[in-house]
Amino acid sequence: MRDDPTRMGTWTAGDIGDLGGRIAVVTGANSGLGLVTARELARAGATVVPTAREPGKLAAARGTILAHAPDAELDPRILDLASLDSVRSFATAVAADHPRVDVLVNNAGVMMPPRSETADGYELQFGTNHLGHFALTGLLLDALAAGDSSRVVTVSSLEHRPGRLDFDDLQSERSYAPRGAYQQSKFANAVFGLELDRRLRAAGLPVASVLAHPGYSATNLQVTGPTGVMKAVLAVSNRVFAQSAERGALPQLYAATAPDVEGGQFYGPDGFQQARGAPTVVQPVGRARDEETARRLWEVSEELTGVSYLD
């Protein structure tokens, strides 16, 4: 451990304190940021519940984590955030086996695919990136509140900045642009994380809602979702400009573990345009703080998922 691990400019995953006895759920832990996050939380002693949609990828992730942390306590589980039935089944099983959850990292996501829909008929990016995590957080809230200082870390993106919520066409049925829909989902993540913080404070629950983004980091999102010209452009820019997933995961790891983190904060890289660097406090785009937008998003999210909490 460094002498002063709270100095974010020099902070690395090696500065994470002892997490023994803590329970952490990490969505999308089969690759990229999620895999790094699950690995480092496990290496620090947490019991980690890594999730993935496919059994084969989940097994591979488990093997990778154990290769780096042979003594890791892991409870890998299947979770498909594009299916609300899967979200409910997962949350029920996890809460039964882990009545207390200390950290929930809402990390999983899809990025810029051709238009498709979730199992429940919602646009895939909005349905997976926002609605799935909204429902999961609500369904695990009792387990989170059972701890004395639990955290929900919702991973947004630099792409939240141009994002807007089109409440007249949230599912992009009238008009669909892959990047625009992704930006909307990441903006929804930011609005949700801030509104969750407000509601947790009002309810007096011992749970902090924190946001994070990875800057521009090379992950499989840029190659598995986009198609055509965008896929080619991102493949090149990944090689030339992006930082590694190891570095990109630092803001969410800091948000999940550092002792000085407070609810409502947003963590991202400290470099130029927040594209790369060590974790630091950053600011969301101003309209993400609009409470009327947050109220509308919360209400429609409850309606679409059937999950109500913190009203």
Side-chain angles (χ1 to χ4, degrees):
M1 293 289 290
R2 295 193 173 101
D3 293 336
D4 183 10
T6 62
R7 292 181 58 198
M8 287 182 282
T10 59
W11 193 89
T12 72
D15 290 314
I16 298 173
D18 180 13
L19 300 179
R22 311 278 288 176
I23 311 296
V25 176
V26 182
T27 69
N30 57 290
S31 65
L33 305 174
L35 179 57
V36 174
T37 299
R39 184 194 73 204
E40 295 305 325
L41 294 176
R43 203 201 304 255
T47 296
V48 178
V49 182
T51 82
R53 289 178 297 175
E54 301 174 15
K57 291 183 177 180
L58 188 60
R62 178 180 180 275
T64 298
I65 294 169
L66 289 174
H68 289 84
D71 297 326
E73 294 288 337
L74 301 176
D75 181 16
R77 307 254 179 158
I78 295 295
L79 170 62
D80 182 358
L81 287 156
S83 165
L84 292 172
D85 283 346
S86 176
V87 173
R88 291 188 182 94
S89 296
F90 170 85
T92 298
V94 167
D97 292 341
H98 303 286
R100 190 195 79 249
V101 172
D102 300 289
V103 179
L104 168 60
V105 184
N106 289 327
N107 165 83
V110 291
M111 179 180 177
M112 304 184 201
R115 191 184 187 284
S116 55
E117 295 182 347
T118 68
D120 305 282
Y122 305 131
E123 188 276 313
L124 183 63
Q125 298 185 86
F126 186 76
T128 302
N129 300 351
H130 169 63
L131 292 177
H133 283 126
F134 176 91
L136 178 64
T137 302
L139 293 167
L140 288 179
L141 187 59
D142 286 347
L144 287 159
D148 57 3
S149 57
S150 301
R151 295 183 191 176
V152 177
V153 180
T154 300
V155 181
S156 184
S157 165
L158 283 171
E159 288 283 284
H160 90 279
R161 292 171 173 173
R164 295 180 183 275
L165 289 164
D166 183 353
F167 287 105
D168 294 324
D169 191 24
L170 279 176
Q171 309 309 327
S172 304
E173 294 171 309
R174 293 201 297 268
S175 176
Y176 179 75
R179 187 174 183 181
Y182 180 70
Q183 291 168 342
Q184 175 176 251
S185 73
K186 293 287 102 180
F187 180 67
N189 287 154
V191 174
F192 164 65
L194 295 171
E195 179 65 6
L196 179 61
D197 174 65
R198 284 189 285 266
R199 294 184 181 231
L200 288 167
R201 289 175 186 266
L205 294 178
V207 183
S209 172
V210 192
L211 287 162
H213 80 76
Y216 186 12
S217 299
T219 72
N220 66 352
L221 281 183
Q222 291 101 332
V223 296
T224 58
T227 58
V229 173
M230 179 59 75
K231 182 174 184 176
V233 169
L234 289 173
V236 172
S237 61
N238 268 10
R239 292 195 298 270
V240 176
F241 300 113
Q243 64 179 355
S244 68
E246 301 280 338
R247 295 284 291 171
L250 292 181
Q252 61 203 63
L253 281 166
Y254 192 97
T257 65
D260 60 334
V261 171
E262 297 179 3
Q265 290 181 319
F266 195 172
Y267 287 88
D270 64 359
F272 180 68
Q273 296 294 311
Q274 300 174 27
R276 57 196 303 140
T280 191
V281 175
V282 298
Q283 297 301 319
V285 67
R287 62 183 177 280
R289 297 189 183 278
D290 181 73
E291 294 190 20
E292 175 60 18
T293 298
R295 181 193 63 77
R296 292 185 68 186
L297 177 63
W298 195 277
E299 289 178 354
V300 76
S301 299
E302 289 184 330
E303 178 183 346
L304 295 175
T305 64
V307 178
S308 297
Y309 58 107
L310 291 174
D311 286 330

